[in-house]
Amino acid sequence: MPPSIIPPITPAEFLQYLQRCIPPTGWPAKIATANSGGPDSTALLFLLNAVITAHNGRPKPVPPKRRPPGIPPPPPGLPEHLVSVHVNHNLQNAASDMERVATAMALRYKLPFLTERIPWGEHPFPPRSEVDEKVAREARYCSLFTAMEKLQTDVIAFAHHADDQVETAIMRMSQGSSARGLAAMRPVRRWGMGKKDNDYFAFGAEGMRKWIVRPFLHVSKDRLMATCEANKLDYIHDPTNFQPDMTFRNKIRRSLLLMDQSSLSEPASPEQSAEPSSDIEPYIARLRAEVPDVHPSRQMHEAVRLYGMRLEETDSRVTNALAHARLPSPPSTLLLKSNELAEVTSEEVRIALIRRCLRYVSHGPWGAVWAEASGGRDTLRRVSEELWPSEPRTPLSEMPLDPELGTHVDPRKTFAAGGGVLVTPVAIKLDKGQLRYRGRKLDDDSEVDGWIFTRAPPYRKSACPEEQTIVDVTDGIFAAHAAGQETYRVLYDYRFDITFRTDIGKWPRDVREHVTRRGRIVIEPDTKWVLPMVMMRGGVRSPQCIGKFLWDMPGWAGTRRRPVKYQSIMDMKFVRSLDAI
């Protein structure tokens, strides 16, 4: 039988894919796309340009504030401008050819383009001799993030496709991942803060404002190739993509290719006659077993797609459960009602809810696996058993009384949940928005049981940089001032974005004199919630607080409604998100 004709992706079809991955903040006026020069990113650049051009009603982008008369703005929900971004790793002989092809495609459509070259051996990048797959990937993300900041865009599109999804799922299977991990990549997700121990993979608060979109996740590689061929698009193959000795992903890719070729009726070449890797076959069989009724050529794609749908459904149920269980609480904490949590019966949803809570409260980078108890199954199941005990607890009203407090003794205990988070049992007085940490008052029906998630107290004497919560910002402010920057930003404890105004000459006289006389400005933990407090220390003056995180919640100890003296030189924001993405 002759092979079936693989149809290319049309702009109209691509528009549907694109609208399935709209960031929660909506499309910005300008979107970037990662363009390696390969067929996948070339197809993405072509289709993005086609859709944006068609909906903007003009053949090429027009810079903001220079729209010609008579040209209407684009329909709501679509970007206006497209920029091509290429990262030259400079790790292989083909690097210059890949840059040339990527640049030529941008020029073909008269698109702005930006090339970032990774300077191996220059801070913060390691020397070329230490580069492996992980390092190269993280350095590429660093370069793309830098490009987004230069271009002043918050969204970048990647060309990952359905075949990449399968490879990712198999990689995660080999690492013992749960069904959550087998959903592979999301069509849209927040960039995230990066890592603590990697200077070139640390994105801070800005990582919470930027988004990655992947419109091709339900599209197979062969359709992207067909799109390039049908539209006569020039591209170049990365010569390392199918070298199994390079990376484990390449090994998976090679095995999948060989399995596809073995199903063809044509005789295979000697190179094609190699056997797929035996250690990957069990994972492939597991994916196929998920959808036995689907045609073999589509089984793995469909299995991963279903995992993705399952993850979206779980995320939706977690969001709904948190909306019902959550009560107002101090910044960076989560207060949940036990009776509402009890409505969550699915173990999968419970684990996902726990991970969401930990990620929100933790002092680890948002998006880093450490902030979710490293995804450890044993830890997450232990937390689940505390929140949803398999054996019903004795009702609080039937517990013995504490003679000193006049309350029933709460059998629940505070416990560490991982990710630097403590979970404490409380009794919540709903009519006043107050809570108590030990039991419930006698004959008081207005209180309900609950749990509060909080950041664990810092180890003040720890020598570990990750545990340091006293941060001296004096030198950073002066350096920013000398460089002509209007502000100096600090991500404190990976939870609070603090911006200092650097026009020192306009600071209040007391603060200005303090720093000019060798005094220091430091950020310290405040209250049991570890909120930021800015202090003047050293110099000739006594220590003085000049800034606190402002929050107003009646009935809570430590609430701070009004700014302290000199607070005008800084702004503070809590930057973590409780969203699924």
Side-chain angles (χ1 to χ4, degrees):
M1 292 180 60
S4 59
I5 298 176
I6 300 171
I9 304 167
T10 65
E13 180 185 0
F14 176 74
L15 178 59
Q16 298 179 31
Y17 298 144
L18 188 64
Q19 296 295 60
R20 292 175 186 169
C21 53
I22 302 175
T25 53
W27 291 117
K30 182 191 298 180
I31 181 175
T33 180
N35 180 13
S36 68
D40 310 336
S41 58
T42 296
L44 178 60
L45 184 74
F46 165 76
L47 290 167
L48 275 171
N49 180 68
V51 166
I52 291 175
T53 298
H55 283 268
N56 284 354
R58 60 178 184 270
K60 60 182 180 180
V62 176
K65 300 181 181 180
R66 291 179 54 192
R67 186 186 302 279
I71 294 184
L78 282 177
E80 297 182 55
H81 313 289
L82 175 64
V83 182
S84 170
V85 179
H86 177 77
V87 176
N88 187 333
H89 290 80
N90 196 24
L91 292 174
Q92 52 182 299
N93 295 332
S96 57
D97 291 335
M98 296 173 73
E99 178 181 340
R100 175 182 54 78
V101 171
T103 302
M105 283 303 300
L107 292 173
R108 172 175 173 176
Y109 301 115
K110 300 181 181 179
L111 293 172
F113 62 91
L114 180 63
T115 297
E116 292 285 331
R117 294 178 175 84
I118 302 176
W120 301 112
E122 297 182 16
H123 182 79
F125 299 101
R128 194 188 306 269
S129 59
E130 298 178 8
V131 177
D132 56 18
E133 178 194 19
K134 177 176 175 290
V135 170
R137 175 184 177 275
E138 292 176 348
R140 178 172 70 253
Y141 271 72
C142 174
S143 298
L144 291 171
F145 189 84
T146 300
M148 293 176 71
E149 292 194 307
K150 290 179 181 178
L151 297 169
Q152 297 183 337
T153 181
D154 292 336
V155 178
I156 188 168
F158 289 170
H160 296 116
H161 47 75
D163 296 49
D164 294 325
Q165 285 285 72
V166 172
E167 295 168 9
T168 301
I170 292 175
M171 287 181 66
R172 292 182 178 178
M173 274 189 201
S174 69
Q175 297 162 357
S177 181
S178 63
R180 177 186 181 89
L182 300 188
M185 294 171 280
R186 294 176 182 265
V188 55
R189 73 163 176 86
R190 202 181 302 267
W191 189 284
M193 292 182 179
K195 296 181 178 180
K196 283 186 175 182
D197 57 351
N198 189 329
D199 290 340
Y200 57 89
F201 200 69
F203 310 110
E206 277 302 315
M208 299 298 289
R209 303 182 183 98
K210 288 182 168 43
W211 301 87
I212 295 171
V213 297
R214 297 181 172 100
F216 286 155
L217 289 186
H218 292 168
V219 181
S220 60
K221 170 82 171 187
D222 52 10
R223 293 205 63 198
L224 301 185
M225 297 295 296
T227 302
C228 291
E229 298 302 324
N231 295 280
K232 297 180 172 57
L233 307 180
D234 293 330
Y235 58 83
I236 184 171
H237 284 292
D238 183 343
T240 66
N241 272 350
F242 292 95
Q243 296 178 13
D245 58 326
M246 293 289 291
T247 68
F248 184 55
R249 180 180 287 274
N250 283 3
K251 185 177 182 180
I252 295 171
R253 184 174 297 154
R254 179 66 174 167
S255 292
L256 294 174
L257 177 65
L258 291 172
M259 293 185 70
D260 286 343
Q261 290 172 342
S262 67
S263 64
L264 299 176
S265 57
E266 295 86 349
S269 67
E271 182 183 10
Q272 296 172 342
S273 61
E275 291 294 329
S277 176
S278 59
D279 56 349
I280 294 172
E281 289 180 348
Y283 307 127
I284 295 175
R286 177 179 168 185
L287 285 177
R288 292 191 185 281
E290 293 284 342
V291 284
D293 297 332
V294 175
H295 189 276
S297 65
R298 296 289 307 165
Q299 278 181 323
M300 288 183 288
H301 292 160
E302 183 64 12
V304 178
R305 188 184 73 85
L306 292 178
Y307 276 120
M309 293 177 60
R310 181 175 167 182
L311 176 60
E312 290 180 6
E313 180 184 356
T314 298
D315 283 341
S316 178
R317 294 172 65 184
V318 169
T319 299
N320 185 61
L322 288 172
H324 284 86
R326 188 181 183 186
L327 289 173
S329 62
S332 78
T333 70
L334 271 178
L335 177 61
L336 305 177
K337 294 179 288 186
S338 296
N339 59 334
E340 294 290 351
L341 286 180
E343 299 297 318
V344 180
T345 57
S346 164
E347 181 66 16
E348 185 175 1
V349 176
R350 289 175 176 178
I351 296 298
L353 185 148
I354 293 167
R355 294 184 68 150
R356 187 96 64 93
C357 293
L358 297 182
R359 184 175 62 181
Y360 179 77
V361 175
S362 173
H363 61 93
W366 192 99
V369 68
W370 184 87
E372 301 178 32
S374 300
R377 295 181 185 179
D378 292 342
T379 299
L380 295 171
R381 285 171 179 164
R382 174 180 58 80
V383 177
S384 178
E385 178 61 25
E386 292 285 349
L387 300 179
W388 295 276
S390 54
E391 296 294 331
R393 291 191 175 99
T394 303
L396 197 57
S397 59
E398 300 178 12
M399 296 298 294
L401 293 177
D402 184 312
E404 296 181 2
L405 299 177
T407 64
H408 295 285
V409 178
D410 195 332
R412 303 173 299 165
K413 303 295 182 183
T414 298
F415 63 92
V421 176
L422 292 182
V423 185
T424 302
V426 293
I428 308 163
K429 194 171 183 61
L430 297 176
D431 57 346
K432 293 186 178 180
Q434 298 174 336
L435 61 80
R436 297 179 350 92
Y437 284 92
R438 290 192 66 187
R440 179 184 294 132
K441 291 181 180 179
L442 291 172
D443 303 321
D444 190 344
D445 295 330
S446 67
E447 290 186 349
V448 299
D449 292 342
W451 298 91
I452 186 166
F453 289 69
T454 61
R455 188 242 199 259
Y459 298 104
R460 292 180 181 270
K461 296 183 180 180
S462 173
C464 177
E466 297 178 359
E467 288 293 343
Q468 296 300 323
T469 51
I470 299 179
V471 181
D472 190 325
V473 297
T474 317
D475 293 340
I477 292 173
F478 272 95
H481 174 72
Q485 300 173 10
E486 295 182 355
T487 59
Y488 174 68
R489 292 176 61 186
V490 176
L491 179 60
Y492 179 71
D493 209 33
Y494 285 98
R495 301 181 302 144
F496 297 92
D497 187 16
I498 306 178
T499 303
F500 294 90
R501 293 166 181 81
T502 58
D503 191 347
I504 299 173
K506 294 182 179 180
W507 280 10
R509 186 181 64 182
D510 289 352
V511 184
R512 187 170 64 249
E513 290 180 353
H514 173 76
V515 296
T516 56
R517 295 181 180 181
R518 299 182 181 274
R520 312 301 293 178
I521 296 179
V522 299
I523 309 173
E524 301 179 359
D526 182 36
T527 77
K528 68 176 65 176
W529 320 119
V530 196
L531 305 181
M533 175 174 61
V534 181
M535 297 286 295
M536 291 194 304
R537 291 193 176 276
V540 297
R541 300 177 62 90
S542 300
Q544 181 179 357
C545 175
I546 61 174
K548 286 197 172 189
F549 189 83
L550 303 179
W551 58 290
D552 184 3
M553 197 168 294
W556 285 87
T559 185
R560 170 67 64 172
R561 300 179 180 85
R562 298 178 181 177
V564 300
K565 192 176 182 180
Y566 307 138
Q567 182 118 13
S568 60
I569 70 170
M570 71 197 76
D571 293 312
M572 302 185 188
K573 295 180 181 178
F574 178 68
V575 296
R576 299 187 83 90
S577 172
L578 192 56
D579 295 339
I581 57 175

